[in-house]
């Protein structure tokens, strides 16, 4: 596998404290780059931006993103891989290019919810240098189209929570969408490359880290713009089943307390589970049903998929 590296003019002279690490595959992170760069003057070189194209294979996109990086005031590096290496390996690779003592994993489909998003992270690092901190995410800027209504309902109910609520089970509500990690902590516990496909590699990482380091939660959210249709979500749940099984095998004491695990165990005893699973997926796709009912059906579908994996 080859990796092409492009640095902008601000890169060489910077001495950053925080490295923003953003992987992407077939996404366009240019809007995120633009929004983060609005804070460049206030940051004074304390934050750098490193992006990893994990094998998109789009020469036109690479050319455009290089030009966009050259226009940034933030120190920026674009790494373009010739082939996909996956979510865990890609994020691990990003850390090897980072120069800051703290990493901020920020997904390419996120949008800061405040004009001082990076400054808030910088101030937290300066004040307490936390081992790991999750800033939360919202749907404030996300599209409100009807085709995304079920995903919006699911995320609003189970993911878009204030820091005080997330802190009650700190390892559960950790996602790489907006995650601050100190360099020495990541050196001790990196992402497990055994996770492939979609999901759970960040939660599993938090489970390991929480056994050794404090994981804190703060209210410094960004919007998750990448809402999915029911069918796209169902496909991701299918892809994530093996990862869920891996988490169960690695951390049974923690996972057994999760509602998703208990639901999967209950559904595993259900006769004719494959037929029921198909019915759940169809119900989630029926547009004339109430959104809450469709979201409940999709949660049941996810649990039914996981039931086959445990």
């Amino acid at each position: 596998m080859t990796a092409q590296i492009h640095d902008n003019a601000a890169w060489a002279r910077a001495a950053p404290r925080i490295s923003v690490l953003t992987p992407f595959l077939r996404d366009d992170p240019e809007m995120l780059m633009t929004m983060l760069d609005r804070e460049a003057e206030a940051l004074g070189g304390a934050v750098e931006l490193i992006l990893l194209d994990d094998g998109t294979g789009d020469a036109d996109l690479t050319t455009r993103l290089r030009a966009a990086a050259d226009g940034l005031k933030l120190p920026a590096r674009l790494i373009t891989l010739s082939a996909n290496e996956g979510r865990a390996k890609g994020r691990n690779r990003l850390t090897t290019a980072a120069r800051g003592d703290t990493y901020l994993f920020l997904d390419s489909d996120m949008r800061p919810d405040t004009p001082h998003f990076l400054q808030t992270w910088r101030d937290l690092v300066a004040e307490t240098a936390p081992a790991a901190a999750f800033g939360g995410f919202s749907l404030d800027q996300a599209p409100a189209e009807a085709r995304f209504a079920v995903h919006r309902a699911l995320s609003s109910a189970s993911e878009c929570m204030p820091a005080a609520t997330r802190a009650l089970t700190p390892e559960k509500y950790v996602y790489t969408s907006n995650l601050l990690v100190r360099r020495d902590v990541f050196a001790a516990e990196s992402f497990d490359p055994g996770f492939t496909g979609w999901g759970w590699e960040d939660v599993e990482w938090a489970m390991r880290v929480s056994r050794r380091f404090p994981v804190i939660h703060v209210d410094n959210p960004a919007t998750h713009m990448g809402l999915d249709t029911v069918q796209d979500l169902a496909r991701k749940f299918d892809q994530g089943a093996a990862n869920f099984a891996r988490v169960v095998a690695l951390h049974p004491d923690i996972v057994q307390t999760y509602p998703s695990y208990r639901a999967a165990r209950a559904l595993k005893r259900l006769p004719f589970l494959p037929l029921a699973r198909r019915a759940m997926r169809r119900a989630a796709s029926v547009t004339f049903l109430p959104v809450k009912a469709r979201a409940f059906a999709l949660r049941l579908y996810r649990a039914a998929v996981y039931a086959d994996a445990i």
Side-chain angles (χ1 to χ4, degrees):
M1 180 187 301
T2 60
Q4 300 177 1
I5 297 176
H6 179 82
D7 299 337
N8 71 358
W11 177 268
R13 63 177 183 272
R17 296 194 63 187
I18 298 175
S19 300
V20 179
L21 307 179
T22 299
F24 63 96
L25 175 64
R26 293 186 292 274
D27 285 331
D28 186 347
E30 187 171 358
M31 178 56 70
L32 175 62
M33 296 164 67
T34 299
M35 294 181 74
L36 294 177
D37 199 53
R38 293 169 185 167
E39 298 189 60
E41 185 174 347
L43 293 166
V47 177
E48 67 181 0
L49 175 61
I50 308 175
L51 302 109
L52 175 74
D53 182 341
D54 195 9
T56 299
D58 185 336
D60 291 339
L61 177 63
T62 299
T63 299
R64 183 161 53 77
L65 291 179
R66 286 180 175 179
D70 288 341
L72 299 181
K73 298 182 180 68
L74 284 174
R77 165 171 284 186
L78 173 65
I79 305 170
T80 307
L81 300 184
S82 59
N84 176 258
E85 63 181 8
R87 292 158 58 98
K89 288 184 179 179
R91 290 187 173 93
N92 289 342
R93 178 190 283 269
L94 275 165
T95 67
T96 66
R99 298 176 294 178
D101 291 330
T102 302
Y103 310 139
L104 175 60
F105 292 97
L106 186 65
D107 284 353
S108 61
D109 60 357
M110 303 298 284
R111 302 288 182 268
D113 281 345
T114 71
H116 45 77
F117 173 76
L118 292 177
Q119 296 164 71
T120 298
W121 281 127
R122 178 203 59 192
D123 294 344
L124 180 66
V125 169
E127 291 165 7
T128 62
F134 182 64
F137 67 82
S138 77
L139 298 174
D140 290 355
Q141 304 172 65
E145 299 170 43
R147 61 195 178 113
F148 301 134
V150 173
H151 193 178
R152 176 180 282 275
L154 285 174
S155 289
S156 297
S158 62
E159 296 170 333
C160 299
M161 298 181 176
T165 302
R166 289 183 266 120
L168 297 176
T169 48
E171 86 292 333
K172 182 179 180 180
Y173 296 103
V174 169
Y175 311 102
T176 49
S177 54
N178 184 15
L179 174 63
L180 191 82
V181 186
R182 211 169 56 218
R183 176 184 286 270
D184 64 298
V185 173
F186 198 83
E189 298 287 357
S190 60
F191 293 114
D192 181 351
F195 285 86
T196 59
W198 181 85
W200 290 98
E201 79 281 351
D202 42 11
V203 177
E204 189 279 330
W205 174 87
M207 291 176 182
R208 277 185 283 123
V209 169
S210 66
R211 299 180 190 273
R212 303 177 59 185
F213 304 95
V215 176
I216 70 168
H217 287 264
V218 299
D219 288 315
N220 188 27
T223 291
H224 177 218
M225 300 292 291
L227 294 179
D228 289 310
T229 64
V230 166
Q231 293 305 316
D232 286 340
L233 269 181
R235 280 193 290 270
K236 287 183 175 180
F237 294 157
D238 294 341
Q239 296 167 13
N243 284 354
F244 180 74
R246 184 174 178 83
V247 175
V248 172
L250 292 170
H251 307 279
D253 57 323
I254 298 178
V255 181
Q256 287 173 15
T257 67
Y258 288 3
S260 55
Y261 176 84
R262 294 197 295 268
R265 292 290 296 177
L267 289 172
K268 195 172 183 68
R269 299 189 292 269
L270 188 69
F272 310 112
L273 180 58
L275 290 174
R277 187 166 55 238
R278 288 195 289 272
M280 295 166 190
R281 183 165 177 165
R282 284 196 297 270
S285 301
V286 176
T287 56
F288 62 76
L289 288 176
V291 170
K292 287 185 178 181
R294 296 173 64 199
F296 179 70
L298 194 58
R299 283 197 297 271
L300 284 178
Y301 176 78
R302 178 176 57 193
V305 169
Y306 290 169
D308 276 344
I310 60 175

